Amino acid sequence: MLLLYCYTAESFAITDRAPVDTLIADHTFAPVNMDLRPYINTLADNNGSLTIQQVTQSSFTHEEQLFHDYPKNNGRVNNCWLRLRVKNESDKALSCLLFAGWHDYMYWYVQPPGDTCQQLIQTGLMLDNGGVERWNHYAFNVSVPAGQSRTFYLHIINKSYNESALMPALFSAPAFAQFRDKQLDVYRKEAAVIQVLLGMLLVFFSISIINYIQLPDRSYIYFAAYILGLILFFALRLESKPYQLSFFHQWPMFKYYWDIPGLLFCFYPMYLLFGNTFLNLKERYPFMEQVFTWVAAIVGGLIIVCMYCIAQEQYHLPTIIYSYVYFGTLLPLLAVFLALARRSRHHPLVRFFLYGSVCLYLACLGSFLMHVRPLGLLSALGELAAPSLLLIGGVLLQAMFFLAGLSYRNKLVHHERTRTQELLIKQLNKNKELQHKLNEQLEELVKEQTTEILRKKQELEEQRKKQLETEYDKKLTEIELKAIRAQINPHFIFNCLNSIQLFVMQRDYEYAQKYLSDFSYLIRKTLDFSRRNFISLADEITYLTTYLGLEKMRFENRMEYQIIVDPAIATAELEIPAMLLQPYVENAVKHGMTNPKQPTGVLSIHFNLVASDMLECVIADNGIGIARSKSLRMLPNHHQSSGMEISQNRAELLNKMYNTEIHIEIIDRSAEDEADSGTIVKILIPQL
């Protein structure tokens, strides 16, 4: 109790000591760590316009509330002058060090009696370019010769409302060295934690960049930008840790420009953009994706506003803006977290995003509560990311959860791609089996038809000549017609398989799967139509549409086509010969896509009812034309493609069997107009 009483009495004695205008130093004066508040007089320079000459002529007052030994929010810019008068009555020169804390701008002056005031040193967090030794410039020399007096002025400017401790003290050289060593031990531990954090963040940044190179995904870019922003933020935080290596001492304003804007950038735009792409909100939750995008854009605009305020030296406005953003997004983020938590069972990536987000926001809230008492509500918001152990743990946990989520997402993508590739390979194998069966069926069909022809020939030879000839012609015509319809262009099948193989090699699984489906449909329809003499116009249009779609994908969309049907035609009721139009369409595709003067091949098919019992089909292309095609292929003039020759023969056979008048006309556009190119095929099909 006696020791407590003595300590309390000493404290009150120091605090309540009456202010003294001049510090007297006699032969018994030996300062170790002397509180100078009773000897310091102050002058406020609210406008920042006073010169040193005006200050020496101004009257100072003693304001005890100006001083504080902890970080404090002044609610304004602190621009003040401190005056210390020292009289040395001893027979030895006095040499001490005055330390008042670390502030933005500090100017040290001395005025001998009857002389002008001289500036001895200028320093400060926003002025000092001393590099590694920058923290040794904040102890000001108080030198007074024996028997003389000196007046010292210290000009302190802190434009930020949050001010470091301001507590003037007088030290001897050994005492200040001891004080400096204690401060070094304290800040070295804090800085070591930040440096370890920076090292881990660099590892996370490197992992995200490497993964992006291996698997291009915007989630990695947003995560890397988020980590890079944190690295820059905490590296700048080392600037406020005395006796540490300075990375940005040549750009002191950078610390302010990235203080509140850095918090907004890391914890809002990059966080929201990462969550948007990581959770694939555009497909799963479109409304939430729009909210994330708009909030990120709004906060991006607020970052620009904050930087403009800092450029105008309005350092308190970014803190206020951040406070509104922080409190304004608490409830919406809580609602988003609850909405995502309800879907976490169906979407495992949500759990990684939620765990990381909750860790960070709980750490921010804890850091905020730790700073409310010394700094106040609004100013503590600006210190939400002060590098405390609580916040560092939250940042590391969030980064780990996000990185683990990205790794798990890679695993899911890899499994999905592997499964899709296996399905495509299975489908391709099935298609090969189908092709093999198709070839076998075609061979059997040709053998059967050949056998049938030989048998019919034998029977016809045994009958009477006239009857045998008539029956022979009819049966022979039917058999030849079936054999012609059974033919499939092997070149077309080969091109389709090559196109499917190309899509698989390019990992374009969607196009490969669609190509396989359409090709299988076309093969089935070909087999079906080969057994029928006539099909409906609707079936023929569907068949041609599927075929042209396959050719368009094979030509990589360098081909356009259209099928136009007269509205008066009842496509489901009107019938045409099976497989009659396909060779002409195939020939138009073949030559229509090889015109170097036309970047895109255009093919049009028109069905018109020119009479009540006459259907007209017009096939037009913008290819190189008949004459140009023959000259390029170096073929005889009488040469004609096998498909078109087969269709011509079929038309003649049908005319002979059913007594019809199917008429086919082929027109070369260049023969009529040299400036034009392409081919027009007109086919008139009468209705039975």
Side-chain angles (χ1 to χ4, degrees), residues 28 86 152 159 169 208 221 262 264 360 365 396 441 530 537 585 611 637 672:
T28 61
V86 181
F152 299 93
K159 295 183 178 180
S208 62
I221 290 297
L264 292 172
L360 176 66
L365 183 62
L396 286 177
Q441 291 178 1
S530 66
L537 181 59
V585 175
N637 293 331
E672 299 178 357

mmCIF file of all heavy atoms in Angstrom, residues 28 86 152 159 169 208 221 262 264 360 365 396 441 530 537 585 611 637 672:
data_model
loop_
_atom_site.group_PDB
_atom_site.id
_atom_site.type_symbol
_atom_site.label_atom_id
_atom_site.label_comp_id
_atom_site.label_asym_id
_atom_site.label_seq_id
_atom_site.Cartn_x
_atom_site.Cartn_y
_atom_site.Cartn_z
ATOM 1 N N THR A 28 23.474 19.940 -11.022
ATOM 2 C CA THR A 28 22.824 18.692 -10.578
ATOM 3 C C THR A 28 21.864 18.137 -11.635
ATOM 4 O O THR A 28 21.250 17.098 -11.424
ATOM 5 C CB THR A 28 22.042 18.951 -9.287
ATOM 6 O OG1 THR A 28 21.017 19.937 -9.538
ATOM 7 C CG2 THR A 28 22.969 19.454 -8.193
ATOM 8 N N VAL A 86 15.592 26.745 -22.617
ATOM 9 C CA VAL A 86 16.534 26.064 -21.726
ATOM 10 C C VAL A 86 17.621 27.064 -21.317
ATOM 11 O O VAL A 86 18.218 27.728 -22.188
ATOM 12 C CB VAL A 86 17.168 24.836 -22.407
ATOM 13 C CG1 VAL A 86 18.129 24.143 -21.444
ATOM 14 C CG2 VAL A 86 16.083 23.872 -22.884
ATOM 15 N N PHE A 152 14.179 26.794 -28.320
ATOM 16 C CA PHE A 152 14.011 25.814 -29.384
ATOM 17 C C PHE A 152 12.532 25.767 -29.803
ATOM 18 O O PHE A 152 11.633 25.859 -28.955
ATOM 19 C CB PHE A 152 14.459 24.419 -28.926
ATOM 20 C CG PHE A 152 15.908 24.355 -28.544
ATOM 21 C CD1 PHE A 152 16.311 24.548 -27.223
ATOM 22 C CD2 PHE A 152 16.882 24.101 -29.504
ATOM 23 C CE1 PHE A 152 17.640 24.487 -26.872
ATOM 24 C CE2 PHE A 152 18.221 24.031 -29.145
ATOM 25 C CZ PHE A 152 18.612 24.234 -27.835
ATOM 26 N N LYS A 159 -1.297 15.783 -41.120
ATOM 27 C CA LYS A 159 -2.490 16.060 -41.915
ATOM 28 C C LYS A 159 -3.531 14.957 -41.791
ATOM 29 O O LYS A 159 -4.700 15.175 -42.079
ATOM 30 C CB LYS A 159 -2.100 16.243 -43.383
ATOM 31 C CG LYS A 159 -1.226 17.472 -43.605
ATOM 32 C CD LYS A 159 -0.916 17.684 -45.076
ATOM 33 C CE LYS A 159 -0.070 18.948 -45.260
ATOM 34 N NZ LYS A 159 0.255 19.204 -46.683
ATOM 35 N N ALA A 169 9.805 14.301 -24.626
ATOM 36 C CA ALA A 169 10.641 13.854 -23.507
ATOM 37 C C ALA A 169 12.089 14.216 -23.825
ATOM 38 O O ALA A 169 12.492 14.286 -24.991
ATOM 39 C CB ALA A 169 10.500 12.351 -23.288
ATOM 40 N N SER A 208 -1.007 -19.246 -57.647
ATOM 41 C CA SER A 208 -2.141 -18.851 -58.495
ATOM 42 C C SER A 208 -1.691 -18.538 -59.917
ATOM 43 O O SER A 208 -2.373 -18.910 -60.882
ATOM 44 C CB SER A 208 -2.846 -17.633 -57.885
ATOM 45 O OG SER A 208 -1.968 -16.518 -57.815
ATOM 46 N N ILE A 221 -6.824 -15.183 -61.865
ATOM 47 C CA ILE A 221 -6.382 -13.806 -62.064
ATOM 48 C C ILE A 221 -6.919 -12.913 -60.958
ATOM 49 O O ILE A 221 -6.195 -12.084 -60.381
ATOM 50 C CB ILE A 221 -6.830 -13.314 -63.448
ATOM 51 C CG1 ILE A 221 -6.023 -14.030 -64.538
ATOM 52 C CG2 ILE A 221 -6.634 -11.803 -63.577
ATOM 53 C CD1 ILE A 221 -4.550 -13.768 -64.511
ATOM 54 N N GLY A 262 -6.684 0.568 -50.593
ATOM 55 C CA GLY A 262 -6.238 -0.820 -50.603
ATOM 56 C C GLY A 262 -7.238 -1.752 -49.935
ATOM 57 O O GLY A 262 -7.489 -2.860 -50.395
ATOM 58 N N LEU A 264 -10.514 -1.224 -49.703
ATOM 59 C CA LEU A 264 -11.664 -1.333 -50.604
ATOM 60 C C LEU A 264 -11.353 -2.251 -51.779
ATOM 61 O O LEU A 264 -12.175 -3.072 -52.184
ATOM 62 C CB LEU A 264 -12.060 0.058 -51.105
ATOM 63 C CG LEU A 264 -12.635 1.017 -50.057
ATOM 64 C CD1 LEU A 264 -12.798 2.410 -50.643
ATOM 65 C CD2 LEU A 264 -13.965 0.512 -49.534
ATOM 66 N N LEU A 360 -12.283 -13.984 -42.568
ATOM 67 C CA LEU A 360 -11.785 -12.621 -42.760
ATOM 68 C C LEU A 360 -12.675 -11.602 -42.064
ATOM 69 O O LEU A 360 -12.183 -10.706 -41.369
ATOM 70 C CB LEU A 360 -11.686 -12.310 -44.246
ATOM 71 C CG LEU A 360 -11.258 -10.868 -44.545
ATOM 72 C CD1 LEU A 360 -9.839 -10.623 -44.076
ATOM 73 C CD2 LEU A 360 -11.369 -10.565 -46.028
ATOM 74 N N LEU A 365 -13.757 -7.625 -37.858
ATOM 75 C CA LEU A 365 -14.595 -7.116 -36.769
ATOM 76 C C LEU A 365 -13.831 -7.107 -35.453
ATOM 77 O O LEU A 365 -13.920 -6.147 -34.671
ATOM 78 C CB LEU A 365 -15.852 -7.990 -36.659
ATOM 79 C CG LEU A 365 -16.879 -7.548 -35.609
ATOM 80 C CD1 LEU A 365 -17.409 -6.158 -35.932
ATOM 81 C CD2 LEU A 365 -18.027 -8.547 -35.544
ATOM 82 N N LEU A 396 -4.767 -14.991 -43.714
ATOM 83 C CA LEU A 396 -4.150 -16.254 -44.117
ATOM 84 C C LEU A 396 -5.185 -17.369 -44.267
ATOM 85 O O LEU A 396 -5.137 -18.153 -45.219
ATOM 86 C CB LEU A 396 -3.086 -16.656 -43.094
ATOM 87 C CG LEU A 396 -1.784 -15.853 -43.128
ATOM 88 C CD1 LEU A 396 -0.854 -16.315 -42.016
ATOM 89 C CD2 LEU A 396 -1.096 -16.004 -44.474
ATOM 90 N N GLN A 441 -23.771 -54.156 -94.531
ATOM 91 C CA GLN A 441 -25.127 -54.207 -95.070
ATOM 92 C C GLN A 441 -25.149 -53.806 -96.543
ATOM 93 O O GLN A 441 -25.879 -54.399 -97.352
ATOM 94 C CB GLN A 441 -26.053 -53.289 -94.262
ATOM 95 C CG GLN A 441 -26.324 -53.782 -92.854
ATOM 96 C CD GLN A 441 -27.199 -52.813 -92.081
ATOM 97 O OE1 GLN A 441 -27.623 -51.787 -92.608
ATOM 98 N NE2 GLN A 441 -27.463 -53.148 -90.817
ATOM 99 N N SER A 530 -32.972 -45.664 -98.615
ATOM 100 C CA SER A 530 -32.500 -46.570 -99.676
ATOM 101 C C SER A 530 -33.488 -47.705 -99.944
ATOM 102 O O SER A 530 -33.409 -48.368 -100.975
ATOM 103 C CB SER A 530 -31.131 -47.144 -99.296
ATOM 104 O OG SER A 530 -31.250 -47.980 -98.168
ATOM 105 N N LEU A 537 -41.765 -34.627 -98.953
ATOM 106 C CA LEU A 537 -40.884 -33.452 -99.083
ATOM 107 C C LEU A 537 -40.365 -32.989 -97.722
ATOM 108 O O LEU A 537 -39.235 -32.512 -97.610
ATOM 109 C CB LEU A 537 -41.642 -32.314 -99.782
ATOM 110 C CG LEU A 537 -40.849 -31.018 -100.004
ATOM 111 C CD1 LEU A 537 -39.602 -31.280 -100.837
ATOM 112 C CD2 LEU A 537 -41.732 -29.961 -100.660
ATOM 113 N N VAL A 585 -26.937 -31.230 -104.322
ATOM 114 C CA VAL A 585 -26.592 -30.384 -103.168
ATOM 115 C C VAL A 585 -25.141 -30.605 -102.768
ATOM 116 O O VAL A 585 -24.396 -29.668 -102.487
ATOM 117 C CB VAL A 585 -27.541 -30.667 -101.980
ATOM 118 C CG1 VAL A 585 -27.093 -29.879 -100.757
ATOM 119 C CG2 VAL A 585 -28.974 -30.317 -102.350
ATOM 120 N N ALA A 611 -46.985 -25.415 -110.829
ATOM 121 C CA ALA A 611 -48.320 -25.811 -111.287
ATOM 122 C C ALA A 611 -48.939 -26.700 -110.221
ATOM 123 O O ALA A 611 -48.272 -27.080 -109.248
ATOM 124 C CB ALA A 611 -48.247 -26.530 -112.643
ATOM 125 N N ASN A 637 -14.065 -32.389 -121.052
ATOM 126 C CA ASN A 637 -15.286 -31.592 -121.002
ATOM 127 C C ASN A 637 -16.513 -32.465 -120.774
ATOM 128 O O ASN A 637 -17.527 -32.010 -120.239
ATOM 129 C CB ASN A 637 -15.457 -30.791 -122.295
ATOM 130 C CG ASN A 637 -14.373 -29.736 -122.431
ATOM 131 O OD1 ASN A 637 -13.873 -29.253 -121.432
ATOM 132 N ND2 ASN A 637 -14.023 -29.385 -123.661
ATOM 133 N N GLU A 672 -23.563 -16.859 -118.701
ATOM 134 C CA GLU A 672 -24.500 -15.770 -118.989
ATOM 135 C C GLU A 672 -23.918 -14.411 -118.642
ATOM 136 O O GLU A 672 -24.176 -13.425 -119.330
ATOM 137 C CB GLU A 672 -25.795 -15.996 -118.206
ATOM 138 C CG GLU A 672 -26.492 -17.290 -118.571
ATOM 139 C CD GLU A 672 -27.744 -17.514 -117.733
ATOM 140 O OE1 GLU A 672 -28.005 -16.673 -116.832
ATOM 141 O OE2 GLU A 672 -28.455 -18.495 -117.964
#
